[in-house]
Amino acid sequence: MDLIEIFKNPDTTYYPCVMWFWNDRITEHEIEFQIKEFKKSKIYEFFIHPLSGMELEYLSEEFFSLIRFAVSIAKENGMKFWIYDEYNWPSGIAGGLLLKQNPETLGCVLLIKKFTLFAGQKLDHKFEGEFVCASILHKNKNAVRENITDRVKVESENGQTRIYCEINSFTTVEVTLAYKAPSAGICMAGLWASFSDFTPGWLDANDRETVNAFINSTHERYKTVIGDEFGKTVLGVFNDEANNFSFFDAAHYNVTGVQAYPWTKHFAEAFQRDHGYDFTPYAYTADCSFLDADSIKKRFDYWETLSHLFADNYVKNVADWCEPNHLKLTGHLSGEESVMWHAYQMGDSYLALKEFHIPGIDNLFSKNYIDNVDFAITAKFAVTAAKFARRKRVICETFSGSGWDLTLQEMKRCLQRIIVAGINMTQYMGAYYSLDCGRKHLPMSYPPSHGYNNPLFAHYGELNTYAARLNALCAETIGASDIFVMLPLISVQIDKNLQGTIDQSWRGICLELIKTHHEYDIASERALYDAKVENGKLIINGFEYGTLVVPDIYYTSQKVIDVINKLTAQNGNVIFCGNTLLTICETGEKVSYAKGELNLKPNFGTHENVYVSHRKTADNDDLYMIVNDNAEDVDIKLDSAGCLFDPFDGTVRAFDSSVKICAYGCVAVLIKKESRVELKHGWRFNAEGGNWLVLPVKTQGENSEISGGYGLKPSDKYTATAEFNIQDIPEFAELIVEYEEGMTVILNNVDISVGLKSLKLWGIRTKSVDVTSILKNGENSLSYVSSIPAWNGPHELPSAYLRGNFKLNDNLELIRNTKQIAPNIWTTQGYPHFSGVGIYETEFTLPDPVGDKLLIEIPANDVVKIILNDEHVKTLLWKPYTTDITQYVKKGENRLRLEFTGTYQSLMQPEEYDLQGQGHLIRRGKSAPAHSGLDNFPVIYILD
């Protein structure tokens, strides 16, 4: 994959698309004119969204004739068409026509009503709906709840139901009544059209047969008319504001003083299949006021079933229709801004989102929120679901309701922010076919219009190219998160009174991650159900996380607890940022964990209003998309060199370690791993002047060894000895001693004192002599006789060393010097005592073409002199150990020489020594070898 070429010349699919609102009298002439205007402004894909004010009957022959014409014009102009599968929104009732023509598709809701009966009073109550179950709570000191479902007598007639029952209570009781009623909220999909009669209600989105009726009424009709272009000019279907519990119903029934919850006609059978018992007699436990263990379990089971019914029977069902028809399902769910609506309108939004081929969100009123740090924070829900489902694109409806004063700069700011959040299919919401009369403003439109009737539209082409480049980078990479944030939907489903604290908690965590520029993923607990834990890492659908962050959470499932326990048992990083006493829904058992804090170190500095997305390419390169949302330029410091992508002009250029981003600007930075040469092999090493062995000299008395040297005083004579082993006699070796006047030095019974010559090394006493011919395989012995200096002080025995052409094994035995070395520190590869100048050499060949700029990065801590093809490039004294080598390389084979100058630590302090200090011996501890030379293999970055 050539990411640079994709960025410079993005395919038309990466350009922003447009939701085209048909909201007036539609003609072929106007259709052709507006489609061609889209193309002039580099909009190559459009969705036709029938909207309030359309003077045309939805799904009529005339309507489909005009759809067919629009597709033909798109085809002629090399453009693409997407089906929007509803009139107005939300998708599901075909503008109300489905409910009128197929009344059996009308959904229903579960209603919970509470009222009080006084002592001795009978239960005798009328309501509109179908009785499900009832319970009473005795208001005495024991507060006993009693299920009275089996005792209740039921009479039904004309939709009216009467229930009555003897209570026989000596205390006041609270009755909880659960009953079913038809969906009755007035839905936007059935409003403000020439054909509409304000049909109330919503379809049964949890029932497969009902959803199939919706598919047959709408999608199959499109197939009949334009199916020959499916997978060619027609790319897919947009399903809008999908849900299984309409907030129109919630509002409708809450006004009557009852609480509404989702239901479906075949719920009892589905629940029995999932959990093995009948939920119907206990349906009142759907109400969140029951927090005893039994009710919690039943309510948990209720939401488990509902979550899967909606995801499978609605979203997956539509997606399954799309696939054999060569279409993709895209769109977004309802109420994604709030954890409450995530939990109550979809059961579990994660399960539903991942069934879309292109999941999405909306970002309406964009201008109103662009200055908020949590702008587009909900994008992560869809982005994470897409990642786990291995979906490449994520769509976002943008700008609707932002006003007629929305400028291109403000649009650019919004687009940058949503793309950095992971959106890579930006959709203008929307282009109004007409702005006549009331269509200029709310409620008939949400300005601005992203079509010819906006004076700024003539300049959209440059903005669209800018966005296309960023979309392409985002789409061709994937978020590189090491942090997974768990969204506690189950806690809200068990007790919706917790929604405020939980919403605040997860938002606060995400904002902290955004401010500190840490990539993260977020999904509900159910994403953990099939997670693995290996080596202290959380693995979800193949993606590995080093940190699991748990916001305020109170209730969860046993499966989630099992994952948390496995992580903690393997010393995984689990951070609880709120409540830590959890109730397991299935058992009622309570478990407690330690509270933690994120304590995040900011990446990319501490700049305010800078937003970063860390992504990975298909080749595992690192891509950072960085937005500067300030009115001033900022300088961003990076640890590595790489390529800088400028979406404004499409250029790609090299940078070293600093990037300047203009006010309200955005760049992408690529650290290319495969566009580099890793110098792993063929290394040779030379210890300048020879390798060193520090000889372990110890003292002896005149007749016997004096343990530790005790008894020696100034002027006392002593004998010192050292033994060492040789496996391979070196080609050259010299003995170096710190010579005292009158000292006798004997090696392997040969007196070499007379051969010692002064050596200018680190003092006035240092002398050396060639001992190559005296050394022998096996054990060698050195001894010298000398005296403690006459003055009282902290004296140390004169040191002795071998220096020469050899290596040392782990037992410090001399072995043959092969010159071969791995690109790593020399002190662990046969040179544990060597200090000085260590020289690494290798040859390498660069790919052809070489590239416009080459940088070498050397993992080091010492001074390093770089010589390339016999030319001195640069001497690096400290970090960053990176420099430009472009002018020194050549095609074919290149020779690299790195001369490291390390410290003296490994030579000066490798062994224990006996010290004479004011008449007392002092023991000095052993020091570890210095970390000298290469830390790892050098890398040459090739920047195009």
Side-chain angles (χ1 to χ4, degrees):
M1 179 189 68
D2 190 344
L3 194 64
I4 293 175
E5 184 58 32
I6 290 171
F7 172 77
K8 289 180 176 180
N9 301 290
D11 187 85
T12 56
T13 187
Y14 294 121
Y15 281 73
C17 51
V18 68
M19 191 72 85
W20 186 18
F21 295 129
W22 279 13
N23 66 336
D24 206 331
R25 189 174 302 117
I26 314 299
T27 66
E28 291 186 352
H29 173 78
E30 192 67 18
I31 288 172
E32 184 173 3
F33 166 74
Q34 294 196 28
I35 289 176
K36 290 180 177 179
E37 290 298 304
F38 289 146
K39 186 176 181 181
K40 286 181 185 177
S41 290
K42 298 186 178 180
I43 293 174
Y44 303 104
E45 298 180 14
F46 60 90
F47 302 64
I48 291 179
H49 185 332
L51 193 70
S52 300
M54 184 175 73
E55 295 184 1
L56 179 68
E57 185 172 345
Y58 181 53
L59 302 182
S60 64
E61 293 299 324
E62 183 183 2
F63 171 81
F64 277 116
S65 174
L66 293 168
I67 290 290
R68 178 71 189 178
F69 179 77
V71 171
S72 68
I73 298 300
K75 183 178 181 179
E76 287 175 13
N77 287 273
M79 299 170 70
K80 303 299 180 183
F81 170 81
W82 291 76
I83 297 167
Y84 182 90
D85 65 3
E86 187 52 82
Y87 169 82
N88 277 356
W89 52 267
S91 295
I93 62 172
L97 298 173
L98 177 65
L99 301 182
K100 284 192 294 185
Q101 297 165 5
N102 303 87
E104 71 281 2
T105 62
L106 181 66
C108 60
V109 291
L110 178 69
L111 300 175
I112 306 292
K113 184 175 183 179
K114 294 183 179 181
F115 52 92
T116 299
L117 296 177
F118 297 105
Q121 193 173 3
K122 295 180 181 180
L123 172 63
D124 193 338
H125 187 73
K126 291 182 179 180
F127 56 91
E128 292 185 4
E130 180 183 342
F131 175 74
V132 176
C133 65
S135 69
I136 57 174
L137 176 66
H138 295 273
K139 294 292 190 71
N140 53 22
K141 63 179 181 179
N142 295 321
V144 175
R145 178 164 298 281
E146 183 181 359
N147 192 325
I148 62 170
T149 304
D150 293 340
R151 292 159 45 193
V152 171
K153 294 182 173 54
V154 182
E155 296 177 355
S156 300
E157 187 176 356
N158 298 326
Q160 284 282 328
T161 297
R162 178 193 175 200
I163 60 172
Y164 52 96
C165 177
E166 293 286 345
I167 299 299
N168 297 324
S169 175
F170 296 101
T171 63
T172 300
V173 298
E174 180 186 74
V175 179
T176 301
L177 168 64
Y179 60 102
K180 294 183 292 186
S183 173
I186 297 294
C187 183
M188 282 298 299
L191 292 180
W192 300 339
S194 57
F195 64 87
S196 173
D197 59 1
F198 288 63
T199 304
W202 178 241
L203 89 162
D204 189 344
N206 292 313
D207 180 65
R208 180 169 292 269
E209 291 181 4
T210 298
V211 178
N212 286 340
F214 167 54
I215 291 172
N216 291 331
S217 72
T218 303
H219 306 77
E220 286 289 348
R221 297 282 304 281
Y222 274 96
K223 181 178 179 179
T224 300
V225 176
I226 55 175
D228 54 326
E229 289 297 327
F230 278 10
K232 293 180 267 187
T233 305
V234 183
L235 296 183
V237 172
F238 191 100
N239 190 267
D240 201 7
E241 300 277 358
N243 64 84
N244 70 350
F245 177 54
S246 169
F247 55 73
F248 299 106
D249 277 330
H252 173 83
Y253 282 108
N254 286 349
V255 170
T256 66
V258 298
Q259 294 293 315
Y261 296 90
W263 197 255
T264 181
K265 65 184 72 173
H266 299 302
F267 182 79
E269 299 97 297
F271 189 96
Q272 180 81 40
R273 180 190 64 236
D274 290 346
H275 305 290
Y277 67 95
D278 186 6
F279 180 74
T280 306
Y282 312 101
Y284 60 84
T285 60
D287 181 65
C288 292
S289 62
F290 304 116
L291 293 175
D292 58 283
D294 185 63
S295 297
I296 289 170
K297 180 188 185 307
K298 289 180 169 60
R299 187 152 59 253
F300 171 75
D301 291 345
Y302 162 79
W303 283 112
E304 286 284 291
T305 294
L306 279 172
S307 298
H308 288 284
L309 284 176
F310 175 66
D312 293 343
N313 292 337
Y314 187 93
V315 186
K316 188 176 186 301
N317 196 9
V318 179
D320 286 347
W321 179 87
C322 288
E323 287 184 2
N325 287 299
H326 312 292
L327 300 177
K328 293 181 179 179
L329 176 65
T330 187
H332 73 103
L333 304 174
S334 179
E336 57 220 350
E337 297 80 10
S338 162
V339 67
M340 173 69 175
W341 289 113
H342 269 281
Y344 279 78
Q345 281 201 279
M346 283 73 67
D348 190 324
S349 53
Y350 166 72
L351 297 179
L353 273 170
K354 67 186 185 72
E355 297 299 339
F356 285 91
H357 299 118
I358 303 177
I361 64 163
D362 65 11
N363 188 273
L364 309 186
F365 303 96
S366 308
K367 179 180 176 179
N368 304 53
Y369 303 113
I370 184 60
D371 290 321
N372 295 350
V373 68
D374 65 346
F375 179 83
I377 191 173
T378 56
K380 279 292 185 183
F381 299 133
V383 170
T384 302
K387 180 177 179 177
F388 290 166
R390 307 284 174 168
R391 311 298 196 194
K392 188 174 180 179
R393 307 296 298 274
V394 185
I395 196 170
C396 179
E397 298 176 343
T398 315
F399 299 125
S400 186
S402 293
W404 289 115
D405 58 344
L406 181 69
T407 66
L408 290 180
Q409 176 169 283
E410 289 165 335
M411 291 176 67
K412 175 174 169 283
R413 286 183 67 197
C414 295
L415 288 172
Q416 291 172 170
R417 291 280 295 279
I418 64 172
I419 293 171
V420 124
I423 300 299
N424 51 46
M425 187 174 179
T426 47
Q427 182 191 70
Y428 293 134
M429 185 76 176
Y432 287 88
Y433 178 94
S434 171
L435 295 174
D436 287 341
C437 304
R439 299 175 181 85
K440 297 180 180 68
H441 47 73
L442 289 168
M444 291 288 282
S445 78
Y446 289 71
S449 176
H450 301 281
Y452 81 98
N453 39 26
N454 182 341
L456 289 177
F457 192 65
H459 303 282
Y460 270 39
E462 290 148 291
L463 176 65
N464 291 341
T465 302
Y466 181 91
R469 292 180 177 131
L470 293 177
N471 280 333
L473 287 181
C474 187
E476 297 295 341
T477 56
I478 194 165
S481 173
D482 188 51
I483 300 172
F484 180 76
V485 180
M486 187 172 72
L487 185 68
L489 284 185
I490 292 174
S491 290
V492 179
Q493 290 171 340
I494 298 301
D495 185 358
K496 64 183 177 185
N497 295 314
L498 296 171
Q499 62 170 309
T501 182
I502 291 174
D503 231 0
Q504 184 179 20
S505 177
W506 74 262
R507 285 178 177 274
I509 289 167
C510 294
L511 291 182
E512 184 64 21
L513 292 166
I514 290 169
K515 287 179 180 178
T516 54
H517 311 135
H518 286 80
E519 192 71 27
Y520 70 95
D521 293 323
I522 182 170
S524 72
E525 301 102 315
R526 291 177 178 90
L528 297 178
Y529 278 17
D530 298 317
K532 298 178 182 178
V533 178
E534 296 177 2
N535 301 317
K537 300 287 188 179
L538 174 68
I539 303 172
I540 306 175
N541 290 32
F543 296 99
E544 186 176 283
Y545 299 90
T547 299
L548 170 63
V549 182
V550 185
D552 229 3
I553 184 172
Y554 297 84
Y555 304 91
T556 195
S557 74
Q558 184 65 57
K559 292 179 180 179
V560 173
I561 294 297
D562 290 344
V563 170
I564 292 172
N565 289 344
K566 286 180 183 178
L567 272 172
T568 54
Q570 297 181 18
N571 296 316
N573 192 23
V574 183
I575 303 175
F576 282 83
C577 294
N579 178 61
T580 58
L581 181 62
L582 281 64
T583 299
I584 302 175
C585 295
E586 295 95 326
T587 63
E589 179 187 353
K590 295 186 181 296
V591 291
S592 181
Y593 298 94
K595 189 172 182 178
E597 295 182 3
L598 282 172
N599 293 325
L600 297 171
K601 180 181 178 182
N603 293 323
F604 302 96
T606 56
H607 303 283
E608 292 288 332
N609 303 319
V610 170
Y611 302 90
V612 179
S613 176
H614 178 198
R615 309 185 68 76
K616 289 282 188 181
T617 70
D619 300 320
N620 203 35
D621 299 329
D622 291 299
L623 181 81
Y624 296 92
M625 303 181 73
I626 311 173
V627 170
N628 171 26
D629 208 33
N630 293 284
E632 302 83 25
D633 297 352
V634 297
D635 286 309
I636 303 294
K637 303 293 183 185
L638 297 117
D639 294 332
S640 302
C643 301
L644 184 144
F645 295 70
D646 188 340
F648 180 75
D649 56 14
T651 59
V652 180
R653 58 185 183 274
F655 74 92
D656 290 335
S657 59
S658 179
V659 175
K660 181 183 285 293
I661 309 178
C662 68
Y664 300 125
C666 177
V667 298
V669 171
L670 178 66
I671 310 299
K672 297 183 72 175
K673 287 184 172 57
E674 288 300 322
S675 292
R676 64 185 196 171
V677 176
E678 298 176 337
L679 306 181
K680 294 183 177 181
H681 308 292
W683 286 97
R684 303 174 301 281
F685 182 75
N686 181 39
E688 188 175 80
N691 195 11
W692 291 79
L693 169 64
V694 180
L695 297 176
V697 179
K698 296 182 180 180
T699 59
Q700 287 184 328
E702 291 181 355
N703 299 311
S704 63
E705 182 176 349
I706 302 173
S707 176
Y710 285 99
L712 289 176
K713 302 184 296 296
S715 299
D716 278 358
K717 191 174 183 178
Y718 66 88
T719 298
T721 62
E723 281 77 35
F724 58 95
N725 286 305
I726 297 178
Q727 289 190 12
D728 300 291
I729 301 293
E731 295 177 359
F732 168 77
E734 63 179 333
L735 176 70
I736 299 173
V737 295
E738 295 167 346
Y739 182 77
E740 294 282 358
E741 196 66 34
M743 179 186 288
T744 300
V745 183
I746 298 173
L747 177 63
N748 292 336
N749 297 316
V750 177
D751 188 342
I752 57 174
S753 305
V754 294
L756 291 169
K757 296 180 181 179
S758 294
L759 177 67
K760 194 65 176 176
L761 193 61
W762 53 66
I764 62 172
R765 293 176 174 80
T766 311
K767 292 191 176 186
S768 70
V769 60
D770 186 342
V771 295
T772 310
S773 61
I774 303 173
L775 298 176
K776 62 182 181 179
N777 285 326
E779 186 176 289
N780 291 253
S781 177
L782 169 74
S783 65
Y784 55 79
V785 180
S786 188
S787 300
I788 298 291
W791 51 276
N792 202 3
H795 300 302
E796 181 173 315
L797 296 178
S799 301
Y801 310 86
L802 273 183
R803 184 170 70 171
N805 183 22
F806 55 79
K807 279 187 176 182
L808 298 171
N809 64 18
D810 292 342
N811 295 320
L812 298 181
E813 297 172 327
L814 273 68
I815 59 175
R816 187 168 57 90
N817 187 1
T818 62
K819 297 286 188 180
Q820 294 176 341
I821 197 170
N824 213 312
I825 58 175
W826 66 59
T827 48
T828 61
Q829 300 185 80
Y831 302 87
H833 297 165
F834 174 67
S835 297
V837 179
I839 302 168
Y840 293 79
E841 292 181 290
T842 192
E843 288 76 39
F844 63 90
T845 302
L846 293 175
D848 190 18
V850 171
D852 297 333
K853 187 172 184 178
L854 293 94
L855 303 174
I856 190 168
E857 181 178 79
I858 302 168
N861 290 290
D862 304 312
V863 171
V864 56
K865 181 180 180 179
I866 304 170
I867 298 171
L868 184 56
N869 296 323
D870 301 323
E871 292 190 65
H872 177 211
V873 177
K874 194 172 185 179
T875 299
L876 303 174
L877 307 181
W878 45 64
K879 291 183 178 181
Y881 287 95
T882 304
T883 192
D884 191 330
I885 58 171
T886 308
Q887 70 184 77
Y888 301 96
V889 297
K890 62 182 182 180
K891 291 183 178 179
E893 189 174 80
N894 291 262
R895 298 183 307 280
L896 177 64
R897 176 184 173 103
L898 303 175
E899 298 181 359
F900 288 83
T901 303
T903 69
Y904 261 149
Q905 181 189 349
S906 293
L907 181 61
M908 292 298 184
Q909 294 179 301
E911 295 290 337
E912 298 176 346
Y913 287 92
D914 296 332
L915 304 180
Q916 176 75 23
Q918 301 300 334
H920 300 284
L921 282 168
I922 302 171
R923 181 73 71 185
R924 178 183 294 171
K926 184 180 290 186
S927 175
H931 195 83
S932 298
L934 283 167
D935 285 349
N936 208 328
F937 52 83
V939 176
I940 295 175
Y941 291 94
I942 303 171
L943 310 178
D944 296 325

